[in-house]
Amino acid sequence: MRAVAAAVVALIAVCLLSLSLGARAIPLDQVAGALAGTAGDRDVLDVIWSVRVPRTLIGLLAGAALGLSGALMQALTRNPLADPGVLGASAGAAFAVVLAIGVLGVAAPAGFVWFAFAGALVASVVVYGLAGLGRDGMTPVKLALAGVATTFLLSSVTSAFVLVDPESLSRYRFWSAGSLSGAGGELLPQLLPFAALGAALALTCGPALNSLALGDDVARGLGRRVGLVRLRGAAAVMLLTGSAVAAIGPVVFVGLVVPYVARALARGGGRSEADHRLLLPLAALLGPCLLLAADVLGRVVAPPIEVQAGLLVAFVGGPFFVVLARRRRLAEL
C-alpha cells in the first residue's frame, strides 16, 4: 500500500504543477484561491477554470485509461512489449478521424471525438475476431499478430488518404501528435461513462489475471474461464483506449512504460510476481503522472512554443522500448 500512497502523492503534485505552470505561471496560493473561488484576480480565475482545470481533468482521464489498458493488455498477451495499440485501437481511431475530417468536413475535436471512439472499438472487435479464428481459438500470439496486421493495414490506408487530401493532412497532423492543448471540458461528460465502465471491467479482472499469468492450462485448472476473461479484458481495453485516443489523440508509449514501472512497484516486499490486484490501480495512478508531467514540460521547455505531450512521451518511451526489448528475460512478466 505504500506504493499506492506514493503514487497518489505524486499524482497530486503533478496536478498542482499542471494548474500552476504554463504560458503564465500562477503561484500555488493563487491556484488554491481560484479553486476555492476566493481569488481576486479575474484573469487567474479564467485561466484556471476555463483552461487548466479542463486540461488537467482530460489528462487524468486519458492517462489513467492508457496506463490501465496497457497493464491489462500486457497481462492478457503475456507480452511486456504490448500496449493498447496491439488491439489496433489507435490505428482505428486515426482512420476514423481522417474520414470524419476529409469526407464529412468535421473540424472541431468535440465533433470527431465520436468517430475516433467508434473507430477504436470497431478495430478492436475486428482484431479480436481474427484472433479467435481456427480450431485452437484465441491465443496471446494470435491476438498480437492480428493486432499488428490490422494496425499496419489501417495505418497504410490512413497515410494514403491524408497524402491525397492536404486539408485532412493539416488537421490530422496536429491531432495525431497527441496533445492536451486542444482538449476542452465538453469532452469529459461524453467520455467519462465509457472510461469508467472500462476501468471497472479492468479492475475486476485482477484475480483472474493472476491465474492467467501461470498459463492457460493452470488457469483452467483453477476454475477460470480463460476465453471469458480475455473477452472481458478486451472489452475493457477497447473502452479505455477508445476514450483516451478520442480525447487527446494516439499518444504512444504511456501504455508501455507505465505498466513496467507499476509492475516493479507491485513486486516489492519480496514478491516474485506482481499481484494484478495492486498492479492495475498503480498503473491507473501512474499513467496520469507521466502524461501530465509531459504536458507540463511541453509548456515550459521552449516558450512561447508549446511542445505536444505525445512527442515528449515518445522521446522517453523510445529508448525505454529499445532497452526493454534487449532484455534476455523479455517473455517473463
Side-chain angles (χ1 to χ4, degrees), residues 9 15 27 45-46 64 72 76 79 96 101 151 167 186 219 222 235 251:
V9 171
C15 287
L45 282 172
D46 289 340
L72 187 57
L76 290 173
N79 180 0
I101 294 173
T151 296
E167 184 177 354
E186 71 276 4
L222 294 174
V251 174

Side-chain angles (χ1 to χ4, degrees), residues 78-303:
R78 294 199 295 273
N79 180 0
L81 293 182
D83 71 355
V86 168
L87 275 183
S90 297
F95 177 70
V97 167
V98 167
L99 288 182
I101 294 173
V103 177
L104 301 178
V106 179
F112 60 64
V113 60
W114 292 108
F115 292 93
F117 190 76
L121 293 183
V122 171
S124 299
V125 170
V126 169
V127 169
Y128 200 82
L130 291 174
L133 297 177
R135 288 184 297 177
D136 54 345
M138 191 187 68
T139 64
V141 174
K142 289 173 64 177
L143 183 64
L145 291 176
V148 170
T150 302
T151 296
F152 278 132
L153 175 62
L154 290 175
S155 298
S156 299
V157 176
T158 301
S159 299
F161 193 94
V162 297
L163 286 176
V164 299
D165 189 341
E167 184 177 354
S168 296
L169 174 60
S170 178
R171 297 179 188 175
Y172 169 76
R173 185 169 50 195
F174 180 81
W175 178 83
S176 65
S179 174
L180 276 66
S181 61
E186 71 276 4
L187 296 179
L188 277 173
Q190 299 179 49
L191 297 178
L192 186 57
F194 298 100
L197 178 58
L201 286 173
L203 293 174
T204 57
C205 287
L209 293 177
N210 288 337
S211 301
L212 282 183
L214 302 174
D216 288 1
D217 292 338
V218 174
R220 291 190 183 94
L222 294 174
R224 299 292 183 187
R225 300 175 64 181
V226 174
L228 185 60
V229 171
R230 287 210 171 92
L231 180 61
R232 184 171 60 177
V237 172
M238 294 178 205
L239 291 167
L240 291 168
T241 307
S243 300
V245 173
I248 64 172
V251 174
V252 297
F253 292 122
V254 173
L256 173 70
V257 175
V258 166
Y260 185 84
V261 177
R263 190 174 300 112
L265 294 175
R267 281 175 171 169
R271 290 186 290 268
S272 59
E273 296 294 336
D275 186 345
H276 287 86
R277 293 172 297 179
L278 176 60
L279 189 155
L280 293 175
L282 276 174
L285 291 170
L286 294 175
C289 289
L290 176 59
L291 185 59
L292 286 174
D295 182 52
V296 171
L297 183 60
R299 301 180 209 173
V300 301
V301 69

